[in-house]
Amino acid sequence: MTDVTGGPGRSGEGVAGRVAALTGSAPGPARPVGGGDICDAYRIALADGRTVFAKTLVGAPRGFFAAEAAGLELLRSTGSVAVPEVIGAGPDILVLEWVEPGAASAGQAERLGRELAALHSTPAPVWGGTDPALPVHLGSVPLPSPPEPPSGAEDWPVFHAEWRLLPLLRRAVDGGGIGPGDARDVERLCEALASGGASGGTAGGGTAGGGTAGPSQPPAVIHGDLWSGNVLWSADGRARLIDPAAQGGHPETDLAVLELFGCPHLERLLAAYEEVRPLPGHRGRVPLHQLQHLLVHAVLFGSGYGARCGAAARAALG
């Protein structure tokens, strides 16, 4: 999401004690860092010499930061992508190692492309989250999961329509974030997916497939919210992934969301990715995989994004 960390005009009061409890070291001043509208974010030097990043949210949904910490650890466990070390999490705070930012470079982008290809080659047991106690969030919006998540390669189109797009569409409609015509086009796309949107082959090989959803794809570990602001370009030359909505998902979602708001050196990143993991025909499926995030933005920010949702649905339908 475009609004994950470091909202303006907020205070670091009370952060020191929570950071001390999670790190076991006395913190210095909490210095605000920028980045978004949902959480407050701080850079804090500790007495033991470490520097940490802390993000807080008053009244955070239950399990909000525990889910983020679990997502980071899931990504780390694949051995493919780099993420900040999780130091501690509480009900309303997450503390991570501080990663010194650096300039985006073509070299970092190419390495990240290859690392994402490796991440997306990591199987996930089911579609969606695996722990009902730690719901996946996009920004502040929770993503539901079925009581018994499906796991088959052929299950993604129906899962995506019924447990991602339609619940978000209902929220956007109820909140006035999307108009009737655009909402109907999203519904039409969901009907197409539910009626057999996948077709033939396997992502990463074989044919491109003829259905709306493209080739069948088994669930893979994905970042889940990989807009460009969640790529932390580092001073040490290796990009870190932050603020995940990690889950069993479709790899093309990560790639499509990278394009949604622009990403430095994107063409180099995608070219490096496809050297490892080719995706025949994926360009035509970008609108489909961007729609979930556009719907979340319609929920949070209103009808300007609702119009983009309708346009994406129509493009996905062809």
Side-chain angles (χ1 to χ4, degrees), residues 118-293:
L119 174 69
H120 294 159
S121 298
T122 305
V126 295
W127 295 105
T130 59
D131 186 345
L134 299 175
V136 176
H137 287 75
L138 287 180
S140 60
V141 178
L143 299 180
S145 287
E148 297 184 6
S151 60
E154 71 283 357
D155 293 328
W156 181 79
V158 172
F159 169 81
H160 194 62
E162 294 185 354
W163 292 94
R164 291 295 182 260
L165 300 183
L166 286 174
L168 292 171
L169 176 63
R170 294 185 193 107
R171 289 191 60 167
V173 168
D174 291 346
I178 188 171
D182 290 319
R184 178 57 190 148
D185 287 334
V186 175
E187 290 175 342
R188 287 176 52 229
L189 174 60
C190 291
E191 290 164 3
L193 292 172
S195 65
S199 175
T202 300
T207 66
T212 303
S216 296
Q217 162 70 54
V221 177
I222 66 170
H223 178 281
D225 192 12
L226 197 59
W227 76 284
S228 59
N230 285 343
V231 177
L232 176 56
W233 307 100
S234 74
D236 67 11
R238 187 181 187 190
R240 308 303 201 276
L241 302 186
I242 59 175
D243 296 333
Q247 59 189 286
H250 199 300
E252 291 182 36
T253 299
D254 275 352
L255 302 182
V257 174
L258 271 177
E259 297 189 39
L260 193 54
F261 300 105
C263 178
H265 307 290
L266 179 63
E267 293 305 317
R268 299 282 288 272
L269 186 157
L270 294 176
Y273 182 103
E274 292 211 67
E275 288 175 4
V276 179
R277 192 174 185 275
L279 294 174
H282 86 277
R283 292 298 319 160
R285 297 186 292 271
V286 169
L288 168 64
H289 288 280
Q290 290 180 339
L291 180 55
Q292 172 185 256
H293 279 65

Side-chain angles (χ1 to χ4, degrees), residues 66-82:
E68 182 175 338
L72 288 167
E73 292 300 339
L74 173 59
L75 297 179
R76 181 192 301 278
S77 73
T78 68
S80 57
V81 294

